[in-house]
Amino acid sequence: MADYDLTLSRDAIPALLDQPAALGKLVEVILNQVLEAQMRDHLGAERYERCQEREGYRNGYRDRQLSTRVGSLVLRVPQTRDGSFSTDIFERYRRSEQAFVVGLMEMVVNGVSTRKVTRITEGLCGTSFSKSTVSRLTKALDEPVAGFLNRRLDAAYPFIIVDALFTKVRTDKSVVSKALLIASGIRADGYREILGLSIGDSESFATWNEFFRGLKARGLHGVDVAVSDNHSGLREAIAKQFVGATWQRCQFHVMKNLLDHAPKKERENVTAAARLIFLATDRKEAERRYAEFMARFAETAPKSCVCLEGAFEDMLAILPLPEKYRRRLRTSNMQERLNEEIRRREKVIRIFPNDAAAIRMVGALLSEQNDEWLGRAYFDMTEYFEWKATTVAKPAAVKRDRRAA
């Protein structure tokens, strides 16, 4: 991309800062300068400049509105006589921003928004919009989101991380809580991908099982390790759909459970002692630290001891793997960060008008996150496959042998 020299006159600054939508007006000024620079590059000449390098002539402007999170911007798009000029500014307008705005618009059209949401939407989209406008925008967004969520998964994914979060959706004039099921994977080449998204009435075995079946139908294979929390339906679905894979119980959730069962005065000590177990470098050291934990808190935090006893084997399932892979696979924090970004958008909408609106906004956000993830590798998988080739007992087999003993 060419570099552009952008200017703002000294006289314009006070006027911009005096306006309520100062940031939006500032962005508008800058983008209009970018459009002028792009036209200059396209024609090979400045306005009114006569030179041999000129490749066309201007033909005025047309105003075009761009809705952004800093307000509705009016951009003056230059035109050429032959219609050959085009700009990528509008194509770069993020899909999730569009989905976010459309979600707000749907709420207003369906009469379920708060006054705050109405004000936000009118600020982003203009003073008025109709059902036909919403319909046109949703149709334009649904196709790319569906394409992303239904794409083929042809690579092998040795590691998958799954989690769910609950959101409010309006159904038949009532508001219900629904589960958004999300799965991410780390491919054999070390790159991360968001594998899929589904919405269900609950986080049950049936919904997770159907979700995983859909992922496998799209090509998901080669799963060695699955990381999740201890939800019984999720755990059962993983065992059924990914036979032979190791299930790693998220250590973050284990820690949370330990603290929930610990007296307030012991929580800091429980945290420190549990973390030592999580970070043990081998099985022998983990068992030694586990024994110390149980002895230390048997009297002062007995419920935490019971909780740890039930979680010990599963929370250390990835311990046989090479050390460089354990830190990122011992929790579902990668997925939790995705959830936080979804929550940030959801707090504004509060209640989705329907299932399709939830899938649209979250799917668009996940699609963009997926593009960012594909920009750089998450793991160098060389050591993992060398370890896997030379290890007689795979992690799943080791785990089964322990339990049989």
Side-chain angles (χ1 to χ4, degrees):
M1 178 188 292
D3 292 328
Y4 301 128
D5 294 324
L6 306 175
T7 61
L8 189 64
S9 69
R10 186 187 302 272
D11 294 338
I13 294 175
L16 287 174
L17 296 180
D18 285 341
Q19 300 185 49
L23 180 58
K25 297 302 294 183
L26 183 60
V27 173
E28 185 177 278
V29 169
I30 292 172
L31 289 181
N32 278 320
Q33 290 190 41
V34 170
L35 287 169
E36 286 293 333
Q38 288 181 340
M39 174 60 90
R40 182 186 64 235
D41 293 344
H42 175 73
L43 295 178
E46 298 282 359
R47 292 174 62 88
Y48 310 115
E49 181 182 0
R50 298 178 181 272
C51 62
Q52 293 183 346
E53 292 77 15
R54 176 180 283 277
E55 297 183 0
Y57 295 90
R58 291 173 175 260
N59 187 32
Y61 297 85
R62 61 185 175 91
D63 289 346
R64 186 167 174 185
Q65 194 173 57
L66 178 65
S67 296
T68 73
R69 213 179 302 182
V70 295
S72 183
L73 312 182
V74 178
L75 302 187
R76 302 189 70 226
V77 183
Q79 299 184 90
T80 57
R81 293 180 184 176
D82 60 2
S84 60
F85 175 70
S86 63
T87 176
D88 60 356
I89 285 179
F90 298 96
E91 283 69 22
R92 292 187 179 196
Y93 178 40
R94 292 166 64 98
R95 291 184 298 273
S96 68
E97 292 293 323
Q98 298 178 54
F100 178 68
V101 172
V102 169
L104 295 174
M105 292 170 69
E106 279 190 291
M107 293 175 66
V108 177
V109 167
N110 287 284
V112 297
S113 69
T114 64
R115 279 179 289 181
K116 177 182 177 182
V117 170
T118 303
R119 290 197 301 271
I120 293 171
T121 310
E122 289 179 351
L124 289 170
C125 311
T127 57
S128 65
F129 43 86
S130 64
K131 289 187 178 182
S132 61
T133 300
V134 174
S135 177
R136 175 175 55 81
L137 291 173
T138 56
K139 184 177 180 180
L141 283 166
D142 284 343
E143 185 175 342
V145 169
F148 168 71
L149 295 178
N150 295 318
R151 74 194 189 281
R152 288 289 302 173
L153 303 172
D154 293 324
Y157 296 85
F159 311 135
I160 65 170
I161 302 175
V162 294
D163 198 11
L165 72 159
F166 283 83
T167 191
K168 300 292 186 181
V169 179
R170 187 169 292 275
T171 304
D172 296 329
K173 298 183 180 181
S174 63
V175 177
V176 299
S177 181
K178 292 203 171 185
L180 292 170
L181 314 181
I182 305 172
S184 300
I186 301 169
R187 301 188 316 213
D189 62 3
Y191 284 82
R192 290 182 291 174
E193 279 192 58
I194 293 170
L195 304 178
L197 164 70
S198 181
I199 189 167
D201 293 333
S202 64
E203 188 184 2
S204 64
F205 165 73
T207 55
W208 277 115
N209 192 57
E210 186 64 25
F211 179 53
F212 291 145
R213 285 179 60 189
L215 295 180
K216 291 171 69 176
R218 289 167 46 209
L220 177 63
H221 67 281
V223 176
D224 293 334
V225 178
V227 185
S228 77
D229 61 26
N230 191 41
H231 188 281
S232 59
L234 171 54
R235 191 175 68 244
E236 184 181 355
I238 289 174
K240 181 174 181 178
Q241 294 297 330
F242 304 109
V243 177
T246 294
W247 173 58
Q248 167 66 28
R249 182 172 175 178
C250 172
Q251 292 181 1
F252 173 82
H253 286 88
V254 172
M255 180 71 84
K256 185 176 183 301
N257 293 338
L258 292 177
L259 296 181
D260 286 343
H261 290 92
K264 187 174 181 179
K265 64 180 181 180
E266 285 285 22
R267 286 176 184 171
E268 185 175 342
N269 295 328
V270 167
T271 299
R275 186 171 288 121
L276 290 176
I277 303 173
F278 296 156
L279 299 179
T281 56
D282 55 46
R283 175 78 183 186
K284 183 177 180 180
E285 182 64 18
E287 289 177 344
R288 185 184 68 79
R289 294 176 181 181
Y290 166 75
E292 290 178 351
F293 183 102
M294 300 298 279
R296 179 177 179 181
F297 299 108
E299 298 295 333
T300 59
K303 291 183 179 179
S304 294
C305 292
V306 173
C307 180
L308 181 63
E309 183 179 16
F312 181 72
E313 294 291 340
D314 295 321
M315 74 182 195
L316 297 177
I318 46 87
L319 199 55
L321 270 64
E323 186 174 359
K324 65 184 291 184
Y325 303 100
R326 298 176 199 162
R327 181 174 62 87
R328 287 177 169 173
L329 294 177
R330 66 188 184 88
T331 71
S332 58
N333 286 354
M334 183 179 84
Q335 207 71 7
E336 293 289 342
R337 283 189 285 271
L338 279 178
N339 292 351
E340 289 174 5
E341 183 63 20
I342 294 169
R343 289 291 189 207
R344 187 173 67 84
R345 305 293 184 89
E346 181 206 40
K347 284 180 180 178
V348 179
I349 291 182
R350 294 179 58 199
I351 302 171
F352 286 102
N354 48 55
D355 285 2
I359 291 292
R360 183 183 306 117
M361 195 200 79
V362 177
L365 180 64
L366 295 179
S367 175
E368 288 177 355
Q369 183 61 68
N370 190 71
D371 291 343
E372 292 184 18
W373 279 359
L374 292 176
R376 63 186 180 91
Y378 192 64
F379 278 141
D380 178 350
M381 297 292 286
T382 305
E383 186 177 345
Y384 174 75
F385 285 110
E386 290 176 350
W387 168 84
K388 185 176 177 181
T390 57
T391 302
V392 176
K394 295 182 181 180
V398 171
K399 186 174 175 182
R400 286 196 299 272
D401 290 346
R402 277 205 309 268
R403 287 181 166 174

